[in-house]
């Protein structure tokens, strides 16, 4: 093996010889190249991984260089994860100190051991941020939804908003608002760049001026964005209290044709759910890499007996990593929508990019075409 390689990740699968179980045991074996003077943590997209909290799930220390973690999982469970030293400033990194991307796998049908070698960590310095906020933004801090955690809201105002006091504007509402406009608040230092994108499209006379409302997620993101009790509270407040807040404080065009909701992954799912459940409020939804079907959850089965809604859906997906796992759900949703009367390229749009990953950077690349479907200039 090349001694210059500082990152080795490989999986060894052990097929059980005994009676089959509905669960599989997944064991992480972690080896460090250099001892550390702190605990080591695993974090990821599932509640048992701390829901992306960097210091909730501590690894068991075997000795100075070896750690382990075990969990019993359902087969075909979608897992994304990282390792930290208890703070996002100190993440597992490559030999140059650059943080890893998300590690990912789908839990198999048999017991599995995952071996990970960590050779380096980020140094604790402030990570380099690419980009900045373009234009004017305002904030609502600690917006309260009864029964849920408070969250911040960022509102991006179009170029003419402050100088043209009579003009009213359509509104795009976005989930995971911390990742949409400001790279400093984005989870991984890369935002969707919707501010730069919309500004450029407006300057090129390809897009109407719009207001963008980014609603931050919380530690309860999975519940808020899912078909859960908290999710129902979130969607109701999003369609009523939040919309009233924005329509009251800003010069909006409030009708449904000028009100669109957007998000990615679980945010893509909840965007669809909002348009489906509140078609009188939203004219459509942008659903990027949507989690329509994953593990034991299948939203298509939940809505299969519902009538067609008068909304326009944009749905897309990449072809690598997590997006590859989500593709069967996208296929099933498209098939269902067509079966109840949606027409491709009229009120249902599908984009597939087999080279794209499940990431803010890839969603940002697809965003320009998506937003122009709803707010593109009609007279060009």
């Amino acid at each position: 093996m090349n001694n210059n390689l500082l990152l080795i990740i490989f999986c060894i699968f052990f097929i059980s010889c005994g009676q089959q179980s509905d669960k599989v045991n997944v064991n992480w074996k972690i080896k460090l190249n250099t001892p550390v003077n702190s605990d080591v943590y695993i974090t990821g997209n599932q509640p048992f991984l701390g829901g992306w909290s960097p210091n909730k799930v501590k690894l068991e220390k075997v000795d100075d260089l070896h750690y382990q973690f075990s969990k019993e999982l359902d087969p075909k469970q979608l897992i994304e994860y990282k390792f930290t030293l208890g703070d996002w400033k100190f993440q597992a990194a490559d030999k140059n100190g650059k943080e890893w991307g998300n590690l990912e796998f789908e839990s198999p049908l048999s017991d599995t051991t995952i071996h990970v070698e960590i050779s380096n960590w980020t140094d604790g310095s402030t990570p380099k941020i690419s980009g900045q906020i373009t234009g004017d933004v305002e904030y609502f801090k600690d917006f309260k939804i009864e029964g849920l955690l408070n969250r911040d809201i960022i509102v991006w105002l179009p170029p003419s908003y402050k100088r043209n006091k009579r003009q009213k504007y359509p509104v795009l509402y976005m989930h995971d608002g911390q990742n949409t406009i400001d790279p400093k608040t984005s989870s991984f230092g890369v935002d969707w760049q919707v501010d730069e994108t919309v500004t450029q499209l407006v300057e090129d006379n390809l897009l109407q001026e719009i207001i963008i409302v980014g609603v931050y997620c919380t530690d309860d993101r999975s519940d808020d964005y899912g078909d859960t009790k908290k999710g129902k509270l979130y969607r109701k407040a999003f369609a009523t209290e939040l919309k009233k807040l924005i329509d009251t404080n800003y010069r909006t065009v409030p009708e449904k044709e000028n009100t669109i909701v957007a998000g990615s992954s679980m945010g893509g799912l909840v965007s669809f759910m909002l348009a489906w459940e509140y078609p009188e409020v939203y004219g459509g939804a942008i659903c990027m890499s949507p989690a329509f079907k994953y593990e034991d959850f299948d939203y298509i089965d939940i809505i299969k007996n519902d009538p067609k809604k008068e909304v326009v859906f944009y749905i897309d997906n990449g072809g690598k990593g997590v997006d590859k796992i989500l593709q069967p759900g996208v296929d099933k949703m498209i098939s269902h929508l067509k079966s109840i009367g949606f027409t491709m390229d009229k009120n249902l749009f599908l984009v597939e990019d087999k080279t794209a990953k499940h990431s803010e950077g890839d969603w940002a690349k697809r965003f320009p075409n998506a937003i122009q479907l709803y707010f593109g200039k009609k007279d060009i």
Side-chain angles (χ1 to χ4, degrees), residues 188-329:
F188 305 109
V190 178
D191 66 323
W192 280 44
Q193 301 175 6
V194 297
D195 46 342
E196 288 91 351
T197 296
V198 169
T199 298
Q200 188 62 56
L201 290 172
V202 169
E203 290 179 356
D204 292 342
N205 200 34
L206 296 175
L207 192 75
Q208 304 173 56
E209 290 192 81
I210 62 174
I211 295 171
I212 302 169
V213 179
V215 182
Y216 287 32
C217 70
T218 71
D219 289 343
D220 290 338
R221 181 179 184 272
S222 294
D223 283 339
D224 290 348
Y225 291 4
D227 189 40
T228 65
K229 181 178 179 180
K230 287 184 176 180
K232 289 180 173 62
L233 292 174
Y234 177 76
R235 295 194 298 278
K236 181 179 179 180
F238 203 99
T240 56
E241 298 169 36
L242 173 62
K243 189 171 190 306
K244 182 178 179 181
L245 175 75
I246 300 304
D247 288 342
T248 300
N249 285 276
Y250 298 97
R251 301 190 309 276
T252 68
V253 185
E255 290 77 18
K256 63 173 286 183
E257 292 78 11
N258 296 286
T259 307
I260 304 300
V261 60
S264 62
S265 194
M266 287 290 288
L269 168 65
V270 72
S271 295
F272 185 99
M273 295 167 80
L274 273 161
W276 194 261
E277 295 173 10
Y278 296 92
E280 73 282 3
V281 176
Y282 303 101
I286 295 172
C287 311
M288 294 187 165
S289 304
F292 292 139
K293 183 178 183 297
Y294 63 95
E295 299 166 12
D296 293 329
F297 175 78
D298 189 335
Y299 186 65
I300 305 97
D301 284 348
I302 294 172
I303 65 170
K304 63 183 179 182
N305 295 320
D306 291 355
K308 178 177 176 288
K309 313 289 181 168
E310 295 304 318
V311 293
V312 177
F313 288 113
Y314 166 93
I315 297 171
D316 73 18
N317 197 35
K320 293 185 176 181
V322 174
D323 279 11
K324 187 174 183 179
I325 296 171
L326 295 176
Q327 187 62 46

Side-chain angles (χ1 to χ4, degrees), residues 154-169:
I154 183 171
V155 179
W156 183 86
L157 299 175
S160 72
Y161 188 87
K162 291 187 175 180
R163 67 174 182 269
N164 191 343
K165 302 298 184 181
R166 293 184 178 181
Q167 186 170 345
K168 295 184 178 181
Y169 301 84

Side-chain angles (χ1 to χ4, degrees), residues 118-132:
I118 301 175
S119 300
N120 204 354
W121 302 89
T122 54
D123 61 11
S125 60
T126 302
K128 291 183 178 179
I129 301 297
S130 176
Q132 66 287 312

